[in-house]
Amino acid sequence: MQIFNVLGREKQPFTPIDEGRVGMYVCGPTVYEHSHLGHAKTYVSFDVVARYLRYRGFDLLYVQNITDVGHLRANEEDRVLVRAAQLNAKPMQVVETYTRSYFEDMDALGVMRPDISPRASGHVPEQIEMIETLIAEGHAYAVDGNVYFDVLSDDDYGKLSNRRVDEQQAETRALVGGDKRHPADFALWKRAEPEHILRWNSPWGVGFPGWHIECSAMAKKYLGANFDIHGGGIDNIYPHNENEIAQSECANHAAFANYWMLTGSLNVLDPDEGIPVKMSKSLGNYITIKDALRDYRPQELRYFILTSHYSNPVVFSEEALVSARSGWERLMNALRLARLRMNSAAAGDAGNGFIERLDAARSEFRSVMDDDFNSPRGIAVLQDLTRDVNTLLNSDADVGLNTLQAINDAYGAMGGDVLGLVGSVDRNENGDGKREAALIEMLIDMRGQARADRDYARSDGIRDQLAALGILLEDRADGTIWKLR
């Protein structure tokens, strides 16, 4: 396996710290509103990473945090507190509401839950402990109840984003304050003003943790000072990920994460300029996952996301979703036809050597997914296989039950277990499919009787209604057969 490591900007062979085991930390959502399709792109992408690592036999421990405190806006207002004031609700009420909403959305999209989903507010002691270590090591300083990381104390600061400290003065998104030694110094702990509801006792007075320290503290607690993979969105490479590395490596005297994987943004076209811009809550140009699921199947949204490599940006549009729907339905129609044929197929291996074709597809799928989790090429392997499956099943070949079962298993493994496009419901759609097949055969018999009675209007009506459902009839000398379009 190879992974493009953002830390180094090159594709590298993947070698886990402990053979056969992988620790992965992915920056999770800040829970103050419903999640949108930009979140879906990140977490569907890492869902496939997690699924594929397990498919390859790794024992994966997947940690993804929930940010419920400390993520401040540019004017130093906590995002959760702002939302709580808007809703006239308690902060933890807001957090609970949108945490549940996030997991509802992920469940609907077929995103498997992380093994651990720690909350920032539940790990304040660990954050305080790390801050104390940074102060003792000379990498942080306290001023009037605030604690800041000293970026000039870390010679490696900026190695992930490739930004020099002197270039960051004008660009920094870090909290600006007159008590900081350097404009790029960032907050590890903030003094809580009397009106600030989220507050904890600390050695520096009553306050609350900064945004970045939570990930460092929780990653260390559950994965250790050094672990395998750190994931997140490319927009957080600076300052969030950069600050994570600095504070973690200065506190722990160890490399933080060995591989950094960052997803490209989901963009929309600006209605005025006609250029792609990032979908975000701050710009107000977002579509919630819940709204998207009213118009599209979860698998269609996944298909749309996975036809772009996780590291690349993708532009959302109705046309792109319609194309994704067509692509997904093409896969599913072939699979449904195989499952329906299983109900009447004779036992045996008849299939003209198609088992070998399935083996080749599995091998190619593994090869492309080993190459930095290349889901677009993985889908292409499935589409190529679908072409051959359709050719086989729509031919006069006598396909045996073993071959049909092998087709079903191949789609279930590659398209289901890894890509999440064939969910548990789809893999047993309509039970075993016997009811659907029996209904089609019954309609064919009714059409045959109508033709025998010279009631061609009724006969053609049955044929046209089936065609509208994607079921094509073909009259042959030995009877009528049906195919899925």
Side-chain angles (χ1 to χ4, degrees), residues 40 48 108 181 195 202 257 286 318 337 393 469 477 480:
V48 170
R181 297 174 183 173
E195 67 276 8
S202 80
Y286 63 92
E318 294 295 332
L337 180 56
L393 299 183
L469 297 173
T480 300

Side-chain angles (χ1 to χ4, degrees), residues 440-461:
I440 294 171
E441 294 293 345
M442 182 178 70
L443 288 169
I444 290 174
D445 289 343
M446 291 172 61
R447 176 175 175 267
Q449 185 61 51
R451 294 178 72 189
D453 295 339
R454 299 180 179 274
D455 188 352
Y456 298 115
R458 186 175 180 225
S459 169
D460 291 345

Side-chain angles (χ1 to χ4, degrees), residues 343-402:
N343 299 314
S344 57
D349 293 320
N352 301 322
F354 203 78
I355 298 294
E356 289 77 9
R357 174 66 183 92
L358 294 172
D359 291 341
R362 286 177 183 268
S363 178
E364 185 181 3
F365 182 81
R366 172 167 167 164
S367 176
V368 300
M369 291 298 291
D370 273 354
D371 185 13
D372 197 25
F373 307 97
N374 198 321
S375 62
R377 293 178 63 192
I379 288 176
V381 170
L382 278 176
Q383 289 290 8
D384 288 344
L385 177 61
T386 295
R387 180 195 62 226
D388 294 341
V389 168
N390 282 329
T391 299
L392 173 69
L393 299 183
N394 289 318
S395 69
D396 294 329
D398 182 19
V399 184
L401 182 60
N402 289 0

